[in-house]
């Protein structure tokens, strides 16, 4: 949009408001009887199949959503992102995570410079380094091969790489490449997380990767110092350069910490933390575990969706349609949450990653121009693999609040099991639920149907399902590195589409900062109280009381000695 006006002031927005009245007159049971509509709401690309026919929407709704996207200048905003313009205006930065998986011969500019050669310079360095580690030509201080990796990072430096690692663990090709190796992630500053990561590890065979763009993130650097102390206690101070490397842009602090700057792998200001899994943040630890060729396939899968998102018309564009449907559900139909339900245990860390990508990106109350929004933006994301979720929160989804659902299914299991005399294979049993649940949500079950089944009258209200609960189904051909890359990119771009239409900045996160600054004040108080016995001052009465009780009850905690977890 050329002006600073909110998208809600447009005629296209008002048309959709009227569309809500029409949609409320019908039920998904009726919408699903229209085979032409259902066929029109199927979309295939590069082995993927999207079925959004179980959304509370008609063909007319979709057309109006496309017109809203046009009113919001969606295509122009996508082009601006791919052209390297500073669309993250509050931080004056480009947003170019698409450049992280671009082919070597691509041209993507930021500030007048093609950034793709820089990306590949880092990727080539990662490939060379990881091959040294994996082949044993680079060894630890005692001459032993480094087969264990602990990656230290938090937020975007942790959730994305963990999701990909968890998804790859049971892929046959990736598992073969990872044989004899293990990768762990240390994120929480809680010493229990340190203890769990150190359990069973031998310092002489462990490589630590410290992931921090500025090398100042409080939690990450405290964990890094803890791991450094662990290495020094076992192997001496000279071992640090052999056992610790960094993903950072602050080479001065990397060197001051004791890590050789030559063993630092950079990334750029145009890479947001939650969009950084395809940078050295994720590629380095994942390549150490699975080898660079496997991770390169992951990058190519993401690049496939990047090209699709950039070049495909809006009405046939998977991330665009998913983003517009989320806007429809959140802002027009008033559903504040979304359940992400992958029918694959390998995707158990997918929902936690998308929680950050989505909620940190679009949890905003003002437009990109600083105008308070007159409508709700952002959504609450949560999820669990099926069928685990069915025995947990599906009760609420079926008979409580209406929560739009994303069902993610896989055609071919990573680890198929066939048992003699069973009706179906284990994967078919899983997928039976994948296909059944969306229909159960859409159709429900009426009191009349229950009466015909001779259900006792007093139970009919309890066994009635209203139905009319929207969902969509995304079917992947398999779950290899390439497909995992596709899935990641679909959701990244979906979030961007939502933000572009809502007119917010999906690429800053000022809401994270306030708690950090207040924690610094508490940290200083704890230090003064522990070391000098100073009373708690400068806080409200509730916090003063809590801090005082905490200090009193933990007065036996040593204040200035090195004590590592006992594992």
């Amino acid at each position: 949009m050329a002006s600073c006006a909110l998208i809600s002031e447009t005629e296209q927005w008002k048309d959709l408001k009227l569309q809500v009245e029409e949609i409320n007159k019908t039920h998904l049971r009726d919408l699903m009887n229209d085979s032409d509509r259902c066929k029109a709401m199927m979309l295939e690309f590069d082995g993927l199949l999207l079925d959004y026919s179980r959304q509370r929407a008609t063909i007319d709704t979709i057309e109006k959503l496309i017109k809203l996207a046009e009113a919001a200048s969606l295509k122009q905003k996508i082009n601006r992102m791919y052209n390297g313009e500073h669309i993250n205006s509050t931080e004056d930065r480009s947003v170019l995570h698409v450049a992280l998986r671009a082919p070597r011969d691509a041209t993507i500019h930021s500030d007048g410079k093609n950034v793709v050669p820089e990306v590949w310079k880092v990727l080539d360095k990662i490939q060379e380094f990881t091959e040294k580690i994996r082949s044993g030509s680079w060894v630890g201080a005692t001459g032993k091969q480094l087969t264990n990796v602990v990656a230290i990072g938090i937020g975007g430096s942790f959730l994305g790489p963990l999701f990909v690692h968890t998804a790859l663990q049971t892929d046959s090709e990736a598992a073969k490449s990872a044989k004899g190796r293990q990768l762990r992630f240390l994120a929480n500053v809680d010493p229990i997380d340190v203890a769990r990561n150190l359990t069973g590890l031998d310092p002489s065979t462990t490589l630590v990767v410290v992931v921090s763009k500025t090398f100042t993130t409080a939690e990450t650097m405290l964990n890094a110092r803890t791991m450094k102390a662990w290495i020094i206690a076992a192997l001496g101070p000279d071992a640090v350069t052999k056992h610790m490397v960094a993903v950072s842009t602050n080479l001065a602090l990397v060197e001051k910490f004791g890590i050789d700057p030559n063993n630092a792998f950079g990334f750029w200001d145009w890479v947001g933390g939650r969009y950084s899994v395809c940078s050295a943040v994720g590629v380095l630890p994942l390549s150490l575990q699975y080898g660079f060729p496997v991770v390169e396939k992951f990058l190519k899968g993401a690049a496939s969706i990047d090209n699709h998102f950039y070049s495909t018309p809006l009405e046939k564009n998977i991330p665009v349609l998913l983003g517009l449907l989320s806007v429809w559900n959140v802002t027009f139909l008033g559903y504040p949450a979304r359940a992400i339900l992958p029918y694959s245990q390998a995707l158990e860390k997918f929902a936690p990653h998308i929680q950050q990508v989505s909620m940190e990106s679009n949890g905003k109350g003002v437009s990109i121009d600083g105008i308070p929004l007159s409508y709700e933006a952002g959504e609450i994301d949560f999820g669990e693999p099926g069928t685990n979720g069915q025995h947990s929160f599906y009760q609420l989804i079926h008979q409580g609040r209406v929560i739009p659902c994303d069902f993610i299914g896989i055609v071919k299991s990573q680890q198929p099991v066939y048992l003699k005399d069973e009706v179906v294979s284990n994967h078919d049993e899983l997928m039976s639920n994948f296909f059944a649940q969306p229909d159960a949500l859409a159709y429900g079950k009426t009191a009349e149907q229950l009466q015909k089944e001779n259900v006792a009258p007093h139970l009919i209200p309890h066994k009635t399902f209203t139905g009319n609960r929207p969902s969509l189904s995304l079917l992947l051909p398999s779950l290899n590195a390439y497909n995992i890359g596709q899935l990641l990119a679909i959701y990244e771009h979906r979030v961007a589409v939502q933000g572009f239409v809502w007119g917010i900045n999906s690429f800053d996160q000022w809401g994270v900062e306030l708690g950090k600054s207040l924690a610094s004040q508490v940290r200083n108080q704890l230090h003064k109280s522990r070391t000098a016995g100073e009373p708690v001052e400068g806080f409200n009465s509730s916090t003063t009381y809590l801090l005082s009780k905490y200090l009193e009850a933990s007065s036996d905690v040593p204040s200035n000695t090195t004590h590592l977890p006992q594992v």
Side-chain angles (χ1 to χ4, degrees):
M1 296 168 66
S3 71
C4 294
L6 295 175
I7 186 68
S8 55
E9 297 174 20
T10 63
E11 289 303 315
Q12 292 83 351
W13 184 280
K14 293 169 186 174
D15 282 348
L16 278 163
K17 281 287 189 183
L18 295 174
Q19 183 74 7
V20 173
E21 298 176 17
E22 292 301 311
I23 290 298
N24 284 338
K25 294 175 183 177
T26 188
H27 193 286
L28 270 171
R29 292 187 202 109
D30 304 313
L31 294 176
M32 292 301 293
N33 285 334
D34 185 342
S35 59
D36 289 337
R37 170 191 167 276
C38 292
K39 186 177 179 181
M41 292 183 173
M42 299 275 187
L43 189 57
E44 295 186 57
F45 171 75
D46 196 13
L48 305 172
L49 172 60
L50 170 65
D51 174 8
Y52 59 97
S53 62
R54 293 172 192 79
Q55 291 288 306
R56 292 189 62 211
T58 62
I59 300 298
D60 189 38
T61 311
I62 303 302
E63 291 173 353
K64 289 181 186 299
L65 284 168
I66 296 293
K67 288 178 181 176
L68 180 70
E70 291 168 350
S73 303
L74 176 60
K75 182 55 182 169
Q76 292 90 326
K77 290 175 180 177
I78 294 171
N79 289 343
R80 290 184 66 210
M81 182 173 82
Y82 277 68
N83 291 338
E85 296 184 39
H86 287 209
I87 64 171
N88 180 356
S89 55
T90 63
E91 296 178 302
D92 195 23
R93 292 175 180 173
S94 303
V95 176
L96 281 178
H97 43 280
V98 294
L100 300 172
R101 52 258 189 155
R104 195 184 290 268
D105 59 354
T107 301
I108 300 176
H109 286 98
S110 178
D111 298 323
K113 181 180 180 181
N114 181 15
V115 301
V116 176
E118 295 180 23
V119 169
W120 276 95
K121 184 177 179 181
V122 174
L123 290 175
D124 289 339
K125 183 179 178 181
I126 290 173
Q127 182 173 15
E128 180 184 5
F129 176 75
T130 55
E131 286 177 356
K132 285 181 181 178
I133 296 289
R134 289 170 58 83
S135 68
S137 63
W138 174 307
V139 294
T142 66
K144 291 182 179 179
Q145 191 169 346
L146 300 176
T147 55
N148 308 308
V149 173
V150 177
I152 303 176
I154 198 165
S157 301
F158 155 65
L159 291 165
L162 177 62
F163 142 59
V164 179
H165 169 52
T166 307
L168 284 173
Q169 276 182 308
T170 39
D171 170 64
S172 57
E173 180 189 12
K176 184 178 179 181
S177 297
K179 193 171 182 180
R181 309 193 61 83
Q182 62 174 320
L183 171 60
R184 302 183 183 188
F185 292 90
L186 173 56
N188 201 325
V189 74
D190 188 336
I192 290 171
D193 204 12
V194 177
R196 287 177 174 175
N197 272 278
L198 294 184
T199 299
L201 281 192
D202 178 354
S204 66
T205 60
T206 299
L207 178 71
V208 177
V209 180
V210 184
V211 183
S212 176
K213 182 184 285 188
T214 62
F215 238 58
T216 58
T217 307
E219 303 97 329
T220 297
M221 296 318 300
L222 180 53
N223 278 335
R225 292 190 294 272
T226 304
M227 291 299 293
K228 180 182 177 182
W230 178 69
I231 289 168
I232 290 173
L235 306 173
D238 293 340
V240 172
T241 56
K242 280 287 190 181
H243 289 264
M244 297 191 81
V245 299
V247 176
S248 180
T249 55
N250 194 335
L251 295 183
L253 287 185
V254 167
E255 186 171 21
K256 185 178 179 182
F257 183 87
I259 294 175
D260 186 343
N262 292 317
N263 300 329
F265 301 83
F267 55 117
W268 305 271
D269 279 345
W270 42 259
V271 182
R274 55 195 174 276
Y275 298 96
S276 68
V277 64
C278 293
S279 73
V281 168
V283 172
L284 177 59
L286 293 168
S287 295
L288 285 165
Q289 179 70 5
Y290 297 107
F292 187 81
V294 169
V295 180
E296 191 172 15
K297 291 178 181 177
F298 162 72
L299 297 177
K300 287 180 177 177
S304 166
I305 297 299
D306 293 341
N307 293 333
H308 168 74
F309 180 53
Y310 181 70
S311 61
T312 306
L314 302 183
E315 65 273 10
K316 295 292 183 182
N317 193 308
I318 291 175
V320 167
L321 287 169
L322 292 180
L324 291 175
L325 287 166
S326 286
V327 170
W328 172 244
N329 284 326
V330 171
T331 311
F332 292 92
L333 297 182
Y335 304 139
R338 173 180 63 183
I340 299 171
L341 310 170
Y343 276 68
S344 170
Q345 192 64 28
L347 293 175
E348 63 178 307
K349 296 300 182 182
F350 182 60
H353 175 52
I354 299 306
Q355 280 177 344
Q356 187 197 15
V357 174
S358 174
M359 293 198 279
E360 192 168 86
S361 294
N362 290 339
K364 307 293 167 61
V366 298
S367 75
I368 198 165
D369 301 304
I371 303 171
L373 300 180
S374 60
Y375 47 85
E376 296 292 342
E379 61 201 336
I380 303 162
D381 285 283
F382 70 98
E384 187 75 20
T387 56
N388 295 3
Q390 293 175 200
H391 295 269
S392 175
F393 50 78
Y394 275 40
Q395 169 62 45
L396 184 145
I397 289 173
H398 278 289
Q399 290 186 306
R401 293 176 180 268
V402 177
I403 298 176
C405 298
D406 292 0
F407 290 94
I408 303 169
I410 316 296
V411 173
K412 294 183 180 179
S413 174
Q414 289 179 332
Q415 298 288 328
V417 173
Y418 305 91
L419 296 180
K420 185 180 178 181
D421 297 330
E422 290 289 340
V423 176
V424 293
S425 69
N426 292 41
H427 188 65
D428 279 352
E429 178 66 30
L430 176 71
M431 291 300 289
S432 296
N433 289 275
F434 167 82
F435 291 112
Q437 289 291 337
D439 279 342
L441 288 167
Y443 288 89
K445 198 162 191 177
T446 66
E448 291 75 20
Q449 288 173 306
L450 293 166
Q451 287 169 352
K452 290 179 181 178
E453 294 175 5
N454 296 319
V455 172
H458 72 282
L459 290 178
I460 286 178
H462 302 281
K463 292 192 172 186
T464 297
F465 293 77
T466 60
N468 208 29
R469 293 164 185 260
S471 69
L472 58 86
S473 300
L474 184 63
L475 192 59
L476 282 64
S478 59
L479 197 60
N480 55 30
Y482 185 87
N483 304 136
I484 295 164
Q486 289 178 305
L487 186 62
L488 173 75
I490 285 171
Y491 275 77
E492 286 180 343
H493 295 318
R494 175 189 194 165
V495 166
V497 168
Q498 293 172 254
F500 287 151
V501 173
W502 280 320
I504 61 179
N505 185 354
S506 299
F507 307 106
D508 63 6
Q509 58 283 329
W510 298 107
V512 177
E513 302 303 319
L514 179 59
K516 285 183 179 180
S517 62
L518 292 177
S520 178
Q521 183 184 350
V522 175
R523 185 186 305 117
N524 292 336
Q525 178 66 63
L526 290 173
H527 174 72
K528 289 187 291 186
S529 297
R530 295 268 194 222
T531 58
E534 294 191 16
V536 177
E537 294 178 337
F539 300 90
N540 63 54
S541 59
S542 296
T543 303
T544 299
Y545 182 76
L546 286 170
L547 275 171
S548 300
K549 292 294 286 185
Y550 172 71
L551 285 162
E552 178 186 345
S554 60
S555 58
D556 58 337
V557 174
S559 60
N560 196 26
T561 59
T562 298
H563 176 78
L564 294 171
Q566 300 298 308
V567 293

